Amino acid sequence: MKVALLQGGRSLERGVSIRSGLRVTEALLDLGHEVDVLDLGPDLVGQLEKNRPDVAFIALHGTEGEDGTVQSLLELLDIPHTGPRVAACKRCMDKSLAKYILRENGLPTPDWVTYSEAAIRDFGAASTFGAAVERVGLPLVAKPCSQGSSLGVKVVTELEQIPNALITALSYDDRALLETWVSGRELAVSVLGGEALPVVEAIPTKSNSYDFEARYEIGGASFECPADLGEAETAEVERVALAAYEALGCSGFSRVDLILAEDGPQVLEINAIPGLTETSLLPQAAEAAGLDFNAMVQKILDLAMA
Ligand SMILES: Nc1ncnc2c1ncn2[C@@H]1O[C@H](COP(=O)(O)OP(=O)(O)O)[C@@H](O)[C@H]1O
Ligand SMILES: [Mg+2]
């Protein structure tokens, strides 16, 4: 098949995307496909129109690649693509919108309040921080509405820290969440073609329970797959993850991030296009399910063509 591999892009996750793209390209060539590697740029549409690929493999993360922009162009050009379609991408990219949808579907997600830059700057929203703390409690987590890789995520233990935490979060996006901090085990459930893959647990290696960015550094966390959970726990985590994937309208593949608290799982977010490097969680989970990297890539293509 003639595959256009989309990688790079202009988001802060460009580096991860290029690594995902390289690894997927290798697999596609191994599988005998013809690959045309495209970086997002002014000639993207021109290249797609000229080459007319059978399918586009989207190995993009963050803005434009994961938020529906590229998906919408591909759908207009009638080129099938991997990963969720436009609307699902938009819902996943916006953590606040995603959480409203989870709530409406009776799915567990921590309490939260959303602030926009405009509300704080133009409408005096800063005087509601006390009310926000009453709603979500302390500690809480401040984070940008979009973005990934824990960029701009900060824990707040006192009311007075909210302005600074919001300034950080709002430097990544024009809206930010204040969300109840949930203590528990960090799990990720990758979903491939509507089926949950074995649960992955991220176990922080340093005592960095409040420093989330540190976990993305090499050695910041170790990963266990399948996670050491009881049968009933696994079933409940998978049920919630699959229901979240469905509620947001995902298709192809996606990854649901959760915290397993004492009283059950809480969904933090759904990544429409999770990392696809050798060490990323979706490939690890696929491997644990008996699908090696090449088989996983072929399955993702088959789902795009279906
Ligand atoms: N409400 C929360 N309670 C506890 N930890 C959280 C919470 N929100 C985020 N975190 C931590 O921060 C990490 C990144 O947050 P997440 O919402 O998944 O955003 P992203 O991965 O897009 O940066 C999570 O994997 C988790 O370690
Ligand atoms: Mg996450």
Side-chain angles (χ1 to χ4, degrees), residues 95 110 141 143 147-151 153 179-182 186 212 215-216 257 259 268-269:
K95 290 189 169 82
V141 177
K143 57 182 160 189
Q147 286 314 326
S149 308
S150 294
L151 293 169
V153 180
E179 186 181 63
T180 305
W181 180 73
V182 182
E186 272 214 58
F212 303 124
R215 298 190 196 175
Y216 277 81
D257 287 350
I259 305 254
L268 291 184
E269 63 154 348

Side-chain angles (χ1 to χ4, degrees), residues 220-243:
S222 66
F223 297 96
E224 198 160 288
C225 184
D228 183 15
L229 300 171
E231 223 170 281
E233 259 174 342
T234 303
E236 175 60 2
V237 167
E238 288 182 356
R239 180 192 71 80
V240 168
L242 276 175

Side-chain angles (χ1 to χ4, degrees), residues 3-11 13-25 28 35-40 56-66 70-71 74 81-84 253 272-277 293 296-297 300-301:
V3 185
L5 185 284
L6 272 53
Q7 64 159 43
R10 304 189 293 188
S11 88
E13 293 171 274
R14 177 180 170 82
V16 186
S17 164
I18 288 174
R19 279 190 282 134
S20 292
L22 274 173
R23 185 62 189 92
V24 172
T25 300
L28 288 169
V35 187
D36 194 13
V37 178
L38 299 179
D39 203 321
L40 293 200
F57 197 113
I58 307 180
L60 295 161
H61 312 303
T63 355
E64 297 165 344
E66 203 174 344
V70 165
Q71 288 77 3
L74 290 165
H81 64 80
T82 60
F253 62 88
I273 308 183
L276 295 167
T277 70
F293 200 92
M296 176 198 77
V297 165
I300 290 173
L301 279 188

Side-chain angles (χ1 to χ4, degrees), residues 23 34 70 99 205-206 290:
R23 185 62 189 92
E34 192 185 318
V70 165
K99 287 167 70 71
T205 44
K206 302 171 197 154

Side-chain angles (χ1 to χ4, degrees), residues 38-301:
L38 299 179
D39 203 321
L40 293 200
D43 61 344
L44 175 74
V45 172
Q47 293 275 350
L48 290 168
E49 281 172 334
K50 194 173 94 208
N51 300 347
R52 292 301 318 170
D54 299 311
V55 58
F57 197 113
I58 307 180
L60 295 161
H61 312 303
T63 355
E64 297 165 344
E66 203 174 344
D67 69 1
T69 306
V70 165
Q71 288 77 3
S72 154
L73 290 172
L74 290 165
E75 288 168 27
L76 207 54
L77 293 171
D78 230 358
I79 299 171
H81 64 80
T82 60
R85 296 174 62 85
V86 178
C89 285
K90 288 197 182 303
R91 295 182 198 114
C92 292
M93 195 63 189
D94 181 334
K95 290 189 169 82
S96 178
L97 176 60
K99 287 167 70 71
Y100 279 113
I101 295 170
L102 293 172
R103 274 281 160 93
E104 281 168 6
N105 283 274
L107 294 167
T109 187
D111 281 333
W112 82 103
V113 178
T114 311
Y115 282 105
S116 67
E117 217 165 51
I120 296 171
R121 190 187 52 228
D122 303 332
F123 306 135
S127 68
T128 64
F129 292 164
V133 165
E134 266 172 48
R135 161 104 53 107
V136 306
L138 288 171
L140 59 80
V141 177
K143 57 182 160 189
C145 244
S146 60
Q147 286 314 326
S149 308
S150 294
L151 293 169
V153 180
K154 290 259 177 293
V155 170
V156 167
T157 53
E158 293 164 45
L159 175 65
E160 292 68 36
Q161 297 165 345
I162 289 182
N164 274 334
L166 279 179
I167 287 170
T168 303
L170 289 170
S171 70
Y172 291 97
D173 189 14
D174 56 9
R175 284 176 310 134
L177 314 182
L178 299 181
E179 186 181 63
T180 305
W181 180 73
V182 182
S183 160
R185 294 164 68 180
E186 272 214 58
L187 307 178
V189 181
S190 298
V191 181
L192 185 56
E195 281 178 47
L197 296 174
V199 182
V200 180
E201 178 171 11
I203 304 165
T205 44
K206 302 171 197 154
S207 65
N208 54 2
S209 62
Y210 278 177
D211 184 359
F212 303 124
E213 287 183 28
R215 298 190 196 175
Y216 277 81
E217 291 160 9
I218 293 168
S222 66
F223 297 96
E224 198 160 288
C225 184
D228 183 15
L229 300 171
E231 223 170 281
E233 259 174 342
T234 303
E236 175 60 2
V237 167
E238 288 182 356
R239 180 192 71 80
V240 168
L242 276 175
Y245 173 94
E246 304 260 311
L248 289 162
C250 290
S251 52
F253 62 88
S254 289
R255 193 189 81 220
V256 183
D257 287 350
L258 317 96
I259 305 254
L260 181 57
E262 234 154 58
D263 54 352
Q266 295 275 332
V267 178
L268 291 184
E269 63 154 348
I270 297 91
N271 297 281
I273 308 183
L276 295 167
T277 70
E278 194 90 44
T279 53
S280 300
L281 305 186
L282 168 59
Q284 276 187 50
E287 184 87 45
L291 277 182
D292 65 18
F293 200 92
N294 287 2
M296 176 198 77
V297 165
Q298 184 59 50
K299 167 117 197 207
I300 290 173
L301 279 188

